Amino acid sequence: MAYLKVSGTKIVDQNGKEIILRGAGLGGWMNMENFISGYPGCEFQIRSALADVIGKEKSELFFDKFLEYFFTEDDAKFFKSLGLNCIRLPFNYRHFEDDMNPRVLKKEGFKHLDRVIDLCSKHGIYTILDLHTAPGGQNTDWHADAGTHIAKFWEHKDFQDRTVWLWEELAKHYQNNTWIAGYNPLNEPTDPYHTRIVEVYDRLYEAIRKIDPHHALFFDGNTFASDFSHFGDVHKKWDNVAYSIHDYSVFGFPAAPEPYKSTETQLHRLRRSYEKKRQWMDERGLCVWNGEWGPVYARKEYEGDRTDAINEERYRVLKDQLDIYNKDRLSWSIWLYKDIGFQGMVYVSRETPYMKLFKDFLAKKHRLALDAWGADDSQVRDAYQPLIDLIKREVKPEHQNLYPAPVWKLSDRVGRLARNILLSEFFVREWAEHFQGKSEQEIDEIARSFHFDNCLHRDGLNKILTDNATLVAQEN
């Protein structure tokens, strides 16, 4: 078997046959995220807190078992049965390097990544390796696992040097694996100057290519994979590169401006948002990959009798986006495969030890809107509105929208800093204290809640994905 490669606007096999990658991201696994598994704040915070509360040994047991159970052969078989052929694997640099011992490779970091890559290849599933969290934090959000809204990656060369070093180590390890479709070197960068990103990508390209001339590279656009407008003609220096957009639609989230009914105006907005993201590539005949997209879904415990109606509306958004993608023969990776019930193709049952243990805590998290992703802040909005009003009153209008505006509006910025960073910090230890007094067997059972056997399937979502994957396969 030979490597996949980028040829013009297409991804092709060794015979030049177009391969359309259709799949999902394994978010929340080797780069944990608060809304995916139910903790507050950032991954580094809960890892530290859990070690403080139950000791290093038991803490490491939980996280290792969590990684083991989160994706097993049963998951790979199910994923393949849906007609999908690619999984994006997000990971945190901390699995491979310690901040207090930089540039020393932690070989144990490969344990689970190798395991899942091998499971996927066994079942005919390609993988794309995604550095979701880089030293210093390459973007302004929680999933950069930096605990701040300042992306320090762009301000310290050493953070960039360490990222180049890590990709050199990854390239050495995976250069001969042809089931890896490619490398996604930096997730959702937010470089406020829009120029350093190109310099970093150029360094990453050169470093990886010296070791691995074969694997395709998937470069995200700036500002959460939405903006290539400052890339100029850098593509002329690069070969075997695709360009990654993340095409989330506002209609797929609780903050949607209106009910989604597939009106002409709404369909135009869907299409225009997507076209703007890929405009730079289309003007140059380059390959586009949609590395993330997809709605979130209502849950009975929060949305009650409105749940089914809301989710049917979200499925309508999903179908309309796929109709756009199919016409362009676009490769995509929906976000996401598995979680605790908000967005995943499969999700942890409410009857599992983990979900029972955290039932009340999760309800409080939802009420306080501690997570940014798809947040419903209706129950706490009155607490934060005075701060927004103060800023509007005292700050000049031209200074109110700070980068990463326009992706972040003023209310988003206040929410990120006041709720998702400040308030969340006070609940980190409370999350960890749920494990207090648990035996090793109980900890194993809590982690095993994420096993495929303990998950329910979002059948409506999965059927839509299968129907579209099959449709494109038939066209080939």
Side-chain angles (χ1 to χ4, degrees):
M1 178 175 169
Y3 300 90
L4 296 185
K5 66 177 183 178
V6 176
S7 177
T9 61
K10 299 177 181 179
I11 298 170
V12 300
D13 65 13
Q14 69 270 30
N15 298 315
K17 179 184 176 183
E18 181 180 21
I19 302 294
I20 300 178
L21 300 175
R22 300 291 169 97
L26 194 61
W29 175 56
M30 282 189 70
N31 192 70
M32 297 179 73
E33 294 194 37
N34 44 40
F35 77 95
I36 296 176
S37 56
Y39 64 84
C42 294
E43 180 178 354
F44 81 90
Q45 292 173 310
I46 63 158
R47 283 181 174 268
S48 176
L50 192 60
D52 287 345
V53 170
I54 64 174
K56 183 179 178 181
E57 189 173 329
K58 283 186 174 180
S59 175
E60 289 180 351
L61 172 67
F62 170 75
F63 288 112
D64 185 62
K65 287 296 182 181
F66 170 84
L67 291 171
E68 176 185 334
Y69 293 136
F70 199 94
F71 196 92
T72 66
E73 186 156 17
D74 290 336
D75 293 282
K77 287 179 180 177
F78 172 73
F79 193 86
K80 184 64 175 180
S81 76
L82 298 177
L84 303 175
N85 65 357
C86 187
I87 295 182
R88 180 177 180 237
L89 298 178
F91 58 91
N92 190 317
Y93 78 94
R94 290 187 172 94
H95 287 286
F96 298 96
E97 182 198 32
D98 194 310
D99 285 324
M100 297 302 289
N101 195 21
R103 296 179 187 80
V104 176
L105 185 66
K106 295 163 63 176
K107 292 186 179 180
E108 62 270 23
F110 289 110
K111 172 183 173 182
H112 290 291
L113 192 55
D114 284 354
R115 177 180 63 82
V116 169
I117 290 169
D118 290 344
L119 279 176
C120 288
S121 65
K122 179 181 176 180
H123 292 278
I125 302 167
Y126 290 103
T127 48
I128 293 176
L129 306 189
D130 154 36
L131 183 58
H132 219 73
T133 293
Q138 78 282 5
N139 69 46
T140 54
D141 258 333
W142 71 94
H143 44 84
D145 198 30
T148 174
H149 69 297
I150 304 297
K152 289 293 184 181
F153 174 89
W154 304 106
E155 298 181 6
H156 294 276
K157 183 175 180 293
D158 192 60
F159 290 144
Q160 300 169 19
D161 292 347
R162 286 165 57 190
T163 301
V164 171
W165 167 84
L166 177 55
W167 271 111
E168 289 172 339
E169 296 298 322
L170 292 164
K172 290 174 191 174
H173 190 80
Y174 291 116
Q175 60 182 314
N176 296 318
N177 192 322
T178 55
W179 275 105
I180 294 174
Y183 307 144
N184 187 194
L186 210 57
N187 176 67
E188 294 193 343
T190 58
D191 168 18
Y193 293 100
H194 302 279
T195 54
R196 293 171 296 187
I197 181 175
V198 176
E199 295 168 2
V200 168
Y201 278 171
D202 210 28
R203 289 190 64 198
L204 286 165
Y205 178 90
E206 294 296 333
I208 293 170
R209 284 287 176 257
K210 285 179 182 177
I211 298 163
D212 181 350
H214 304 296
H215 279 106
L217 301 183
F218 296 83
F219 282 141
D220 281 21
N222 198 31
T223 315
F224 305 109
S226 69
D227 183 7
F228 290 87
S229 62
H230 292 74
F231 273 50
D233 292 326
V234 70
H235 64 286
K236 293 179 180 179
K237 301 166 58 179
W238 300 337
D239 182 53
N240 199 17
V241 172
Y243 299 85
S244 173
I245 64 172
H246 290 181
D247 190 37
Y248 291 106
S249 169
V250 67
F251 292 118
F253 289 80
E258 60 193 12
Y260 187 77
K261 298 180 179 180
S262 298
T263 66
E264 286 190 21
T265 300
Q266 291 171 336
L267 288 169
H268 175 77
R269 183 170 178 177
L270 272 188
R271 179 88 203 183
R272 183 64 190 128
S273 174
Y274 162 70
E275 288 174 341
K276 283 175 65 178
K277 294 185 183 92
R278 60 175 294 160
Q279 180 177 345
W280 180 81
M281 289 78 85
D282 288 341
E283 290 172 348
R284 292 159 178 80
L286 302 174
C287 182
V288 180
W289 174 58
N290 186 6
E292 289 186 25
W293 65 287
V296 299
Y297 298 96
R299 295 159 286 186
K300 293 277 188 186
E301 59 265 42
Y302 304 131
E303 281 79 20
D305 293 340
R306 299 183 298 120
T307 298
D308 291 342
I310 292 171
N311 288 344
E312 284 304 313
E313 190 175 303
R314 303 280 164 79
Y315 290 147
R316 193 176 299 123
V317 176
L318 184 83
K319 289 177 182 177
D320 286 344
Q321 286 187 283
L322 280 166
D323 186 53
I324 293 170
Y325 302 159
N326 288 341
K327 289 173 182 174
D328 287 345
R329 302 182 67 78
L330 181 71
S331 288
W332 48 253
S333 177
I334 197 169
W335 195 257
L336 70 151
Y337 173 65
K338 181 183 287 186
D339 70 352
I340 59 170
F342 195 35
Q343 197 171 14
M345 296 162 57
V346 301
Y347 55 95
V348 179
S349 167
R350 271 64 172 162
E351 301 307 311
T352 56
Y354 184 91
M355 294 301 284
K356 288 180 178 178
L357 181 65
F358 286 98
K359 179 182 177 182
D360 293 340
F361 184 80
L362 290 171
K364 179 161 60 174
K365 267 192 72 189
H366 182 266
R367 175 171 54 83
L368 296 175
L370 292 187
D371 301 336
W373 192 241
D376 175 5
D377 67 348
S378 58
Q379 297 184 68
V380 293
R381 197 173 297 151
D382 59 342
Y384 299 98
Q385 191 59 46
L387 179 55
I388 295 172
D389 293 340
L390 173 67
I391 294 170
K392 287 183 175 180
R393 186 172 65 248
E394 298 293 343
V395 178
K396 291 181 178 180
E398 63 267 29
H399 297 157
Q400 290 178 14
N401 294 311
L402 306 177
Y403 186 81
V407 177
W408 279 16
K409 300 177 179 63
L410 176 59
S411 59
D412 297 323
R413 193 175 198 88
V414 170
R416 291 296 204 282
L417 272 65
R419 293 198 317 271
N420 313 138
I421 295 177
L422 174 62
L423 188 59
S424 286
E425 192 174 24
F426 291 98
F427 291 93
V428 171
R429 190 170 181 90
E430 181 179 336
W431 177 88
E433 287 174 347
H434 284 76
F435 291 85
Q436 213 155 30
K438 302 294 184 186
S439 67
E440 290 186 358
Q441 181 179 344
E442 289 172 316
I443 289 172
D444 184 279
E445 290 171 353
I446 292 168
R448 204 183 192 284
S449 300
F450 289 84
H451 191 279
F452 183 79
D453 291 346
N454 293 317
C455 289
L456 305 176
H457 303 175
R458 194 173 297 283
D459 293 327
L461 165 62
N462 296 334
K463 184 178 187 307
I464 293 169
L465 296 180
T466 296
D467 289 347
N468 280 271
T470 305
L471 178 68
V472 174
Q474 290 171 346
E475 291 176 358
N476 282 344

